[in-house]
Amino acid sequence: MITIALSKGRIFEETLPLLAAAGVVPAEAPESSRKLIIGTNRDDVRLIIVRASDVPTYVQYGAADLGVAGRDVLIEHGGAGLYQPLDLEIAKCRLMVAVQNGFDYQGAVQQGARLRVATKYTDQAREHFAAKGVHVDLIKLYGSMELAPLVGLADAIVDLVSTGGTLKANDLVAVEHIRDISSRLIVNQAALKLKEEQIQPMIDAFAGAIGH
Amino acid sequence: MRNWILPENISDVLPREARQIEAMRRGILDLFGRYGYELVMPPLVEYVESLFVNDDPALDLKTFKLVDELTGRQMGLRADITPQVARIDAHILNRQGVTRLCYTGSVVNTRPDGILSTREPRQIGAELYGCADIAADVEVIELMFESLALAGLGQVRLDIGHIGLFHALADAAGLNGEARDEVFLALQQKDLPTLRSATARLDPAIAQGLTALPTLYGNVDVIGRARASLPALPAVVAALDALAQLGDALAARGIAIRFDLAEVRSSDYHTGLVFAAYAPGFANAVARGGRYDSVGEKFGRSRPATGFSLDLREMTRLPFPAAKPAILAPAGEAPGLLAAIRALRAAGETVVVDLGVDPAEAGCDRRLVGGQGDWRVEALA
């Protein structure tokens, strides 16, 4: 049995064509069924639906053999115990620094003062500002980061930006690009070794579907 | 305050697991003995300088440290016994010929290897010094297989890699510092996208070799594919020859192996062949080992070295037979009672004297009854 961990929404939708290339069609849609374990047309493949940030954890401990996780999530997780052989080039977005419109970000950064940064991605934010030589106080938030600069909780935020619509609606501007994000196929290390005959064809099918 | 709570990832070993660990420990040490491996018992703490071989930041980070009040020097609680045994071979025993040593004991880690891992693994392992030939690796791998079989793991998958491949390619490309670390990490995670971008500016032949490594895993034809896709540097050719030779030698012993040429994961002190055993139901390797030829250098004498180790506590997840039922005996000095108990114990029975035990809790299924010098064993209702 091969278990694939996916998160609802964009990643699930954009993984469907890749699964189809591997001959796997889910029996139900997660949005409508509310089931957390979803069967497929293949007896030996099932899907589990977990939170995006939990996908690497499920795969690391072998609760799932394969998974699809954003690079943002993988960097925060650290990647221990995982193989990440493919960039699936889906669920693309950018990790950016954003501030309230009118805030003098370049000035604040050059001054040498400590910057208050609200983010869900503390590891990447810490590394980004350390590389710039800027001291920051990180405030870990789990959602609605855009609010933090507006209510004076933080000077800047580090967040994923895909269309920029949310930033604009909240009078924020992106001031710095940290990295491009897309989703990776991740594989449990022991699973690849023990179930190579089942897993390798699936990796090859995914690779074929994205043109690698 | 709940003062009986243990720290994170630290746990007691309770009777069932303890019995299993002890049975495996004895069985495996006896096995080592039959191969001529001598048991050594290095100390729990020693100066940090001798606990780490070469520059091993990962092991350094894993080691608990304290200050020796006698000397003011920094000591560490061992996080791995292998470097200690290498120190014994290099500097204490000073033998000229091949030396075979084995060990077992607890090691302590500052950080668990994973959320579910213990910070106090019970390491058992065997090391062979003074032989650079593949024959030494073959013996160690054979021993690893037999140890796992003793623990109840008959079906394991053996993966073999060679760290020399990465080092040869990285040296040829002049990779240093952070750039080298980035490529190393990407290889460890078979992270092809990162590997491609990290090697984009290197010599094309080397870059192609480095990006080919993660795809070079599988059965014996990997060696042929590797010869075609890796640049024919002397160190690369030597590593591939060693892998092929090891594969043949193990095949002759009926041990099936897989090659994984991006396997660069074991400890930082490994220098050549590395191997790891995987088993169904275990999310991590169940046993690991490899060559670490340069380790003794730090202790004044560089010797070829190879060895393996495993964590006995991991093995307690395997099924293990229940303890042999015991016999409940009355307390006191009734005529003939002490002799009857002694005879039963001499015959290998467990006899529990009834000082108020619950027979079920004490695992008793029979009891000693009678009197006046006439004692017999009957089933407990």
Side-chain angles (χ1 to χ4, degrees):
Chain A
M1 172 67 81
I2 298 291
T3 303
I4 307 176
L6 297 172
S7 54
K8 267 191 214 180
R10 204 170 155 192
I11 285 186
F12 187 87
E13 300 304 328
E14 297 184 19
T15 305
L16 281 179
L18 303 175
L19 285 172
V24 176
V25 180
E28 298 165 82
E31 306 292 349
S32 56
S33 84
R34 301 179 76 174
K35 275 191 197 161
L36 299 176
I37 299 180
I38 295 182
T40 69
N41 61 323
R42 277 174 55 175
D43 285 345
D44 63 334
V45 180
R46 64 174 182 177
L47 309 179
I48 60 172
I49 305 301
V50 301
R51 265 188 85 106
S53 51
D54 291 338
V55 170
T57 308
Y58 276 83
V59 178
Q60 178 183 3
Y61 294 104
D65 302 299
L66 297 166
V68 174
R71 182 119 175 84
D72 51 325
V73 166
L74 278 170
I75 293 176
E76 294 297 316
H77 171 270
L82 301 175
Y83 289 138
Q84 22 184 313
L86 288 179
D87 184 347
L88 300 176
E89 290 165 26
I90 59 170
K92 284 187 177 178
C93 52
R94 288 157 296 159
L95 188 69
M96 307 205 64
V97 182
V99 296
Q100 192 168 10
N101 207 352
F103 179 80
D104 179 12
Y105 176 70
Q106 296 308 333
V109 164
Q110 275 168 8
Q111 213 173 31
R114 294 181 80 92
L115 202 64
R116 288 173 304 150
V117 177
T119 185
K120 187 157 83 175
Y121 306 99
T122 47
D123 283 5
Q124 289 164 95
R126 187 177 295 117
E127 205 201 302
H128 172 73
F129 289 107
K132 279 171 68 79
V134 177
H135 286 283
V136 289
D137 293 319
L138 291 173
I139 302 163
K140 168 107 185 178
L141 294 179
Y142 293 85
S144 303
M145 253 76 75
E146 295 81 3
L147 191 57
L150 306 181
V151 295
L153 179 61
D155 302 317
I157 62 170
V158 168
D159 200 9
L160 296 181
V161 179
S162 70
T163 61
T166 317
L167 290 185
K168 209 168 182 182
N170 290 292
D171 196 30
L172 300 181
V173 284
V175 288
E176 216 160 40
H177 174 263
I178 298 179
R179 63 165 51 88
D180 288 323
I181 301 286
S182 59
S183 289
R184 299 282 186 98
L185 178 69
I186 57 174
V187 186
N188 174 272
Q189 293 186 345
L192 182 63
K193 293 168 192 300
L194 294 166
K195 302 183 188 172
E196 189 192 331
E197 295 78 4
Q198 292 159 283
I199 290 177
Q200 189 58 46
M202 209 166 270
I203 298 176
D204 294 341
F206 275 46
I210 56 173
H212 276 254
Chain B
M1 183 179 139
R2 300 205 171 98
N3 55 8
W4 46 270
I5 297 279
L6 291 173
E8 303 286 312
N9 300 76
I10 295 284
S11 66
D12 295 307
V13 179
L14 297 178
R16 196 201 73 82
E17 285 82 17
R19 209 158 43 75
Q20 186 172 10
I21 287 174
E22 181 58 14
M24 290 187 297
R25 189 189 69 86
R26 289 184 200 181
I28 294 173
L29 286 182
D30 287 348
L31 171 75
F32 290 169
R34 290 195 291 277
Y35 273 73
Y37 287 75
E38 297 172 272
L39 183 65
V40 288
M41 300 180 178
L44 264 177
V45 287
E46 57 179 280
Y47 296 126
V48 286
E49 294 86 347
S50 58
L51 272 180
F52 317 132
V53 284
N54 311 330
D55 249 353
D56 198 337
L59 193 57
D60 191 348
L61 206 60
K62 272 175 92 168
T63 304
F64 276 102
K65 295 167 186 105
L66 58 157
V67 171
D68 180 8
E69 294 189 9
L70 291 180
T71 60
R73 288 175 65 187
Q74 196 176 38
M75 300 205 296
L77 275 169
R78 65 185 179 195
D80 185 357
I81 300 180
T82 307
Q84 297 187 299
V85 181
R87 173 179 55 75
I88 290 176
D89 169 72
H91 221 73
I92 313 294
L93 290 178
N94 272 316
R95 295 182 188 161
Q96 291 310 309
V98 167
T99 303
R100 292 178 168 89
L101 299 175
C102 64
Y103 56 85
T104 182
S106 285
V107 296
V108 193
N109 297 336
T110 51
R111 301 169 172 200
D113 286 332
I115 299 174
L116 302 176
S117 309
T118 176
R119 288 199 287 167
E120 192 204 352
R122 210 157 274 255
Q123 203 182 3
I124 188 164
E127 315 288 334
L128 198 159
Y129 300 95
C131 178
D133 195 84
I134 289 286
D137 303 282
V138 173
E139 176 174 309
V140 163
I141 290 172
E142 201 181 323
L143 207 47
M144 179 170 91
F145 260 75
E146 291 201 28
S147 304
L148 290 170
L150 261 177
L153 272 175
Q155 257 200 324
V156 293
R157 187 128 167 187
L158 183 67
D159 257 48
I160 296 188
H162 200 299
I163 290 180
L165 291 171
F166 163 72
H167 289 303
L169 293 170
D171 288 347
L175 273 177
N176 285 310
E178 277 185 25
R180 195 178 177 113
D181 292 346
E182 189 186 2
V183 172
F184 186 84
L185 188 67
L187 271 180
Q188 243 177 28
Q189 303 185 345
K190 295 197 199 301
D191 180 353
L192 270 172
T194 304
L195 205 50
R196 282 200 198 95
S197 65
T199 58
R201 271 179 297 177
L202 303 180
D203 174 282
I206 306 284
Q208 191 208 327
L210 283 168
T211 46
L213 285 179
T215 62
L216 292 169
Y217 68 97
N219 58 21
V220 67
D221 55 58
V222 162
I223 301 296
R225 273 164 48 209
R227 290 194 200 278
S229 53
L230 301 181
L233 303 166
V236 169
V237 174
L240 293 176
D241 288 347
L243 285 166
Q245 208 187 333
L246 184 63
D248 291 344
L250 290 172
R253 284 163 178 78
I255 296 176
I257 62 167
R258 314 282 296 174
F259 293 98
D260 184 348
L261 303 196
E263 181 70 87
V264 287
R265 216 145 59 88
S266 295
S267 302
D268 279 358
Y269 49 73
H270 283 121
T271 53
L273 286 168
V274 284
F275 43 86
Y278 294 85
F282 291 84
N284 292 307
V286 287
R288 286 184 175 282
R291 267 217 174 258
Y292 51 103
D293 287 345
S294 57
V295 164
E297 209 171 301
K298 171 154 181 189
F299 306 119
R301 201 164 69 114
S302 186
R303 292 247 284 172
T306 181
F308 86 96
S309 70
L310 60 88
D311 175 15
L312 288 172
R313 293 185 74 166
E314 270 290 302
M315 302 291 127
T316 58
R317 292 166 50 196
L318 294 167
F320 192 69
K324 219 173 93 180
I327 298 169
L328 189 64
E333 295 81 27
L337 175 61
L338 297 179
I341 291 176
R342 206 172 291 134
L344 284 169
R345 284 182 179 151
E349 293 285 0
T350 302
V351 182
V352 178
V353 173
D354 190 354
L355 301 176
V357 297
D358 175 333
E361 277 180 5
C364 300
D365 71 338
R366 291 154 295 159
R367 66 175 165 193
L368 192 60
V369 293
Q372 304 308 318
D374 176 26
W375 296 90
R376 61 188 189 283
V377 175
E378 70 172 26
L380 258 176

